[in-house]
Amino acid sequence: MLVMAECKASAACWPTRPDLSTDLRLGLSLSTSLSSSSSLQAAESIPSMPRNQVLLSWPPIKPFLRSALAASASRRRRQQTLFVKVYMEGLPIGRKLDLLLLDGYDSLLVKLCNMFKTPITYADVYQQQVPGVKAAHFLTYEDQDGDWMMVGDVPWNLFLTSVKKIRITRTDKC
Amino acid sequence: MGRGVGSRSGGGAAQPPWHSLPDEVWEHAFSFLPAAADRGAAAGACRGWLRAERRSRRRLAVANCYATSPRDAVERFPSVRAAEVKGKPHFADFGLVPPAWGAEAAPWVAAAADGWPLLEELSFKRMVVTDECLEMIAASFRNFQVLRLVSCEGFSTAGLAAITEGCRNLRELDLQENYIEDCSSHWLSSFPESFTSLETLNFSCLDGEVNFAVLERLVTRCHNLKTLKLNNAIPLDKVASLLRKAPHIVELGTGKFSADYHPDLFAKLEAAFAGCKSLRRLSGAWDAVPDYLSAFYGVCEGLTSLNLSYATVRGPELIKFISRCKNLQQLWVMDLIEDHGLAVVASTCSKLQELRVFPSDPFGAGQVLLTERGLVDVSASCPMLESVLYFCRRMTNEALITIAKNRPNFTCFRLCILEPRTPDYITQQSLDAGFSAIVESCKGLRRLSVSGLLTDLVFKSIGEHADRLEMLSIAFAGNSDLGLHYILSGCKSLKKLEIRDCPFGNKPLLANAAKLETMRSLWMSSCSLTLGACRQLAQKMPRLTVEIMNDPGRACPLDALPDESPVEKLYVYRTIAGPRSDTPDYVQIV
């Protein structure tokens, strides 16, 4: 009869490691949907993996490397900057601002109001949140096509990818 | 099994004189056959040789811990001094096998403790090793010398302390990529002060702190220390101190190598490395600090192996460093080296045998400039290159055909194009032609991983031409059952086949059932298999274990399910031990 060593300590000493069962379920649900698709027989017609459905068991790299990469990726993100020029209409000298230090439109507004000492607003909808305080300025930006747009219409992350310059424009000009 | 030597009928023909030789002579003869395959062949010649061979076998490698029972293995080979046992299937490395699947080392340690008291070396890969196992090892083998644990889990530093305390003759403690719980016990301090036999110490995967003074004393008194691989807890200046105490080191892993630049630290490191005339293998988690790389320049010329797969160094400093390593045989690096870096490798490292390039940003947008060009350059200029693992984002058939022509001596070719089903980026065709060229040209190919857009035709080529292929990995490829059929009906030497996310179904599996018994194992996940076929397979082939893995969330008894139920994961392997009894809820043996 085989002597099974009692693994009493092993249950308690389970090492901290990425929870692969969750990864697995995500991976499982994605691939089950692929394999149950009737179009599976003609591989040519299968669309390539949608970008937002990251299969956590792919690409085939070992967990130690995977977690090392994740750690260095988050370190890299902290080191990145996105400085844009900010001009206030009427002032010839502009300022520079690192947008990656902010986490959204609200903090952008607060930061700029502090920088330029004037109430600023952006898309119309936000004026309703502060009734009675009609800002003299509102926020516009130049995008990668060179067009001047109202700040606040697109999600913050999308804004970060397209903003080139920011301009604080007077309301009465609009 | 050959028939007994003496059973030859023959009128009057005298038996050859060697038939009366005692077993000891055969045992001595077999000691000149180091390769297990050769010994196995000799053992198959006749009963006499079988007896002599198995009684004198010193090294045993069990590639699948469930292929035999530990007791049987120990009984059959009673003189084993060094054993290696592997557990979970390879795809467990990528998270495809849920936790608690099995592969416990305990039964092996227990059987070894009973039957191999003179055991000196034990190596486990992808197995669950507990602290109790380690305690038993320390207590059972008076001449235990080498412990190697690769990709294992289930133990803590308390178990390590049992080893360091109890194994008086320990020469090697090699811990590679294990998950070790840090119970803060002073395993390093448990080496007695009189202990000096250590030659290899690798604790790079350990997360916690170690007592540096103890480490330094250990390194100082172990004059035969050749391999030292440190963990992230050891800062750079301490590495320099250790090197001064162990200048005869052959292999060094620096652990974390990131620090703000200080000229005196740089000078210290440079001096320490200058003293290491024997240093040949270097690795470490170099964290994007190019400033210190030049401290290593003194050892570059002597390096034969460089593992920078955890190094996020990029750019000109990395290339300057590598361009000094003229004698490199093995290079593991991040794709941050880019094509122009590999061009430098190609022109510098004429002795290169193995290249591995890992993805630094596997889920990102793909800013790194590593393409097929890098691999083409290296294959063109490194005549001894035989093993490649290459992660990239794009490939062409033309590049693969060129590579195949340049390097017919490949034994291992693993290409991973990051996005599944990526075609030739110029012609938009499948990569069938490219991979076919590889298998046609590289007649000695033993291991192959394919990727990109592939149809059944590539498997036809592989089945026909890859005569020496032992391990094949396939993902997101093929268009029908034919693909799998080509593989299973060809590939004469195939031992391990692992497949995921391919449209392969039941028919080729059943049609080639006999082939599976000539192989070590088959893994198929996210293919088009159903339970009925697995049942048939199990019935047809009693010496195969057919394991089905369900979603760990729902443990449904197999008997209740109809034949048409899809099978998400299948693992089939040959065994002489019958079905295992330690399956978790989500694994069922058909």
Side-chain angles (χ1 to χ4, degrees):
Chain A
M1 201 54 206
L2 286 180
V3 174
M4 298 288 277
E6 202 135 14
C7 307
K8 56 173 170 14
S10 61
C13 280
W14 201 254
T16 49
R17 51 184 291 193
D19 181 5
L20 292 171
S21 56
T22 316
D23 294 1
L24 217 50
R25 266 195 292 279
L26 287 170
L28 273 174
S29 58
L30 175 61
S31 34
T32 336
S33 68
L34 276 179
S35 59
S36 59
S37 150
S38 57
S39 64
L40 200 65
Q41 295 309 310
E44 256 68 53
S45 62
I46 295 178
S48 71
M49 192 92 25
R51 278 247 168 252
N52 56 356
Q53 282 180 296
V54 170
L55 200 57
L56 284 154
S57 53
W58 184 267
I61 56 178
K62 292 190 187 169
F64 269 80
L65 186 61
R66 196 177 281 268
S67 47
L69 289 177
S72 73
S74 69
R75 260 197 308 275
R76 260 206 312 277
R77 274 195 295 276
R78 286 198 294 274
Q79 287 159 7
Q80 277 174 345
T81 58
L82 181 59
F83 278 99
V84 293
K85 294 179 188 168
V86 187
Y87 284 96
M88 170 110 122
E89 196 173 336
L91 291 182
I93 310 285
R95 302 288 303 267
K96 262 202 155 167
L97 181 60
D98 182 1
L99 291 179
L100 288 186
L101 292 179
L102 306 166
D103 45 33
Y105 288 120
D106 292 336
S107 44
L108 173 64
L109 212 55
V110 166
K111 184 82 187 176
L112 289 178
C113 291
N114 281 336
M115 262 183 167
F116 291 92
K117 307 282 185 281
T118 181
I120 307 171
T121 187
Y122 44 102
D124 281 351
V125 63
Y126 291 93
Q127 275 179 329
Q128 294 156 18
Q129 288 176 349
V130 191
V133 179
K134 192 101 192 330
H137 292 85
F138 67 94
L139 220 46
T140 62
Y141 72 101
E142 183 182 12
D143 70 7
Q144 72 269 47
D145 298 327
D147 301 323
W148 285 96
M149 315 292 291
M150 281 278 262
V151 165
D153 288 327
V154 299
W156 175 251
N157 286 327
L158 197 52
F159 170 70
L160 289 180
T161 62
S162 50
V163 62
K164 290 282 165 283
K165 272 188 209 162
I166 293 180
R167 192 173 156 86
I168 305 171
T169 320
R170 285 157 57 128
T171 345
D172 50 17
K173 276 275 183 74
C174 195
Chain B
M1 211 73 24
R3 56 199 167 101
V5 163
S7 68
R8 201 167 17 152
S9 65
Q15 283 192 348
W18 57 81
H19 283 179
S20 55
L21 289 174
D23 279 353
E24 289 76 16
V25 176
W26 294 119
E27 291 175 18
H28 183 68
F30 295 145
S31 68
F32 293 98
L33 296 174
D38 291 337
R39 290 191 70 114
C46 63
R47 284 197 208 290
W49 283 20
L50 172 67
R51 192 178 56 236
E53 194 284 313
R54 73 174 187 82
R55 288 212 304 230
S56 60
R57 178 91 71 113
R58 285 280 195 266
R59 306 194 73 91
L60 185 66
V62 182
N64 175 5
C65 65
Y66 290 120
T68 173
S69 86
R71 297 275 155 187
D72 283 347
V74 169
E75 265 170 40
R76 184 178 164 113
F77 301 103
S79 309
V80 162
R81 298 276 199 269
E84 177 191 8
V85 187
K86 297 185 188 172
K88 298 182 209 173
H90 175 236
F91 273 178
D93 282 351
F94 315 126
L96 284 172
V97 177
W101 175 81
E104 305 257 351
W108 287 91
V109 176
D114 279 349
W116 293 331
L118 298 177
L119 190 69
E120 296 169 359
E121 287 184 33
L122 206 44
S123 175
F124 289 119
K125 183 169 183 178
R126 281 189 216 104
M127 294 186 71
V128 176
V129 179
T130 60
D131 284 347
E132 284 78 7
C133 290
L134 297 177
E135 285 159 20
M136 193 180 268
I137 291 171
S140 310
F141 310 112
R142 57 181 159 81
N143 196 26
F144 197 71
Q145 297 172 25
V146 173
L147 180 65
R148 193 172 303 116
L149 300 176
V150 180
S151 302
C152 295
E153 61 192 358
F155 62 104
S156 75
T157 48
L160 288 181
I163 294 285
T164 58
E165 190 181 4
C167 301
R168 295 300 153 100
N169 297 320
L170 196 68
R171 282 189 295 112
E172 291 184 30
L173 181 58
D174 189 0
L175 307 169
Q176 299 177 30
E177 297 194 321
N178 303 289
Y179 286 98
I180 307 175
E181 165 124 11
D182 187 15
C183 289
S184 297
S185 62
H186 306 285
W187 62 278
L188 207 52
S189 319
S190 296
F191 278 121
E193 285 297 323
S194 56
F195 172 81
T196 58
S197 50
L198 205 60
E199 293 170 20
T200 293
L201 179 62
N202 174 5
F203 59 97
S204 49
C205 59
L206 204 62
D207 252 335
E209 299 288 327
V210 293
N211 184 328
F212 183 74
V214 169
L215 177 63
E216 201 170 28
R217 278 204 304 279
L218 181 68
V219 166
T220 310
R221 69 179 185 271
C222 293
H223 301 296
N224 288 327
L225 192 68
K226 297 277 184 304
T227 296
L228 180 63
K229 293 172 101 163
L230 309 167
N231 71 351
N232 284 347
I234 314 273
L236 264 187
D237 59 325
K238 298 282 198 307
V239 173
S241 313
L242 283 174
L243 282 178
R244 277 202 310 275
K245 301 285 193 313
H248 37 268
I249 209 111
V250 173
E251 176 164 13
L252 175 71
T254 64
K256 219 179 187 72
F257 194 122
S258 69
D260 296 326
Y261 184 79
H262 289 299
D264 21 312
L265 179 50
F266 180 92
K268 218 175 151 192
L269 271 176
E270 199 178 28
F273 275 107
C276 296
K277 304 272 185 263
S278 310
L279 191 61
R280 297 284 171 268
R281 304 168 64 89
L282 190 58
S283 60
W286 299 359
D287 220 12
V289 183
D291 298 328
Y292 286 111
L293 279 187
S294 43
F296 286 123
Y297 281 176
V299 297
C300 285
E301 184 101 17
L303 287 183
T304 56
S305 166
L306 187 57
N307 180 356
L308 300 177
S309 52
Y310 286 86
T312 50
V313 193
R314 50 168 87 218
E317 288 80 11
L318 173 63
I319 295 172
K320 254 195 292 196
F321 182 83
I322 293 183
S323 66
R324 290 166 170 258
C325 303
K326 305 196 190 324
N327 289 308
L328 269 190
Q329 294 168 18
Q330 182 184 61
L331 175 62
W332 294 16
V333 75
M334 280 273 168
D335 59 3
L336 300 167
I337 194 173
E338 300 188 341
D339 283 344
H340 68 275
L342 284 179
V344 172
V345 170
S347 58
T348 309
C349 308
S350 55
K351 302 193 184 153
L352 196 67
Q353 295 172 22
E354 179 183 332
L355 174 69
R356 294 195 193 185
V357 182
F358 295 94
S360 59
D361 190 15
F363 309 111
Q367 306 289 347
V368 173
L369 295 170
L370 181 94
T371 69
E372 75 280 6
R373 181 89 247 129
L375 189 55
V376 171
D377 285 343
V378 176
S379 73
S381 308
C382 300
M384 289 158 56
L385 186 67
E386 56 175 47
S387 175
V388 166
L389 169 60
Y390 201 76
F391 285 84
C392 61
R393 287 182 196 278
R394 64 180 215 196
M395 186 53 60
T396 62
N397 282 310
E398 187 184 344
L400 283 172
I401 291 168
T402 307
I403 290 166
K405 217 170 23 201
N406 288 337
R407 286 282 65 78
N409 49 326
F410 275 142
T411 54
C412 170
F413 188 76
R414 294 190 281 165
L415 179 68
C416 181
I417 303 173
L418 288 170
E419 180 72 29
R421 302 194 191 92
T422 303
D424 177 320
Y425 77 94
I426 293 183
T427 66
Q428 297 305 312
Q429 303 271 333
S430 75
L431 291 172
D432 290 350
F435 279 105
S436 298
I438 295 279
V439 292
E440 282 166 37
S441 166
C442 306
K443 308 240 184 284
L445 197 66
R446 289 201 296 271
R447 185 168 180 183
L448 176 67
S449 296
V450 297
S451 59
L453 183 65
L454 296 168
T455 73
D456 290 339
L457 288 176
V458 75
F459 300 116
K460 185 161 195 271
S461 296
I462 296 176
E464 270 173 26
H465 296 280
D467 285 342
R468 302 260 182 87
L469 194 66
E470 296 176 6
M471 183 168 176
L472 178 60
S473 307
I474 309 172
F476 303 102
N479 13 28
S480 76
D481 283 353
L482 262 185
L484 181 56
H485 179 70
Y486 286 138
I487 299 288
L488 291 178
S489 56
C491 293
K492 300 195 188 112
S493 311
L494 196 62
K495 290 204 183 117
K496 271 163 73 167
L497 179 59
E498 45 187 27
I499 302 174
R500 59 166 294 179
D501 294 277
C502 297
F504 299 148
N506 302 323
K507 283 209 291 288
L509 201 61
L510 291 172
N512 295 286
K515 170 80 169 179
L516 297 181
E517 219 178 83
T518 69
M519 288 165 51
R520 188 181 305 159
S521 67
L522 166 70
W523 169 281
M524 285 179 73
S525 58
S526 306
C527 298
S528 307
L529 298 172
T530 64
L531 190 49
C534 298
R535 284 177 173 142
Q536 273 184 283
L537 180 65
Q539 202 179 25
K540 214 169 160 186
M541 311 291 303
R543 280 190 299 213
L544 291 181
T545 290
V546 179
E547 288 194 18
I548 311 261
M549 269 175 253
N550 298 322
D551 188 348
R554 8 172 224 105
C556 186
L558 269 189
D559 315 329
L561 294 173
D563 278 352
E564 304 79 44
S565 317
V567 167
E568 176 56 29
K569 291 181 186 169
L570 172 74
Y571 184 49
V572 180
Y573 52 90
R574 64 181 174 191
T575 177
I576 57 173
R580 61 182 175 120
S581 52
D582 60 351
T583 51
D585 284 340
Y586 61 84
V587 171
Q588 297 187 40
I589 296 179
V590 182

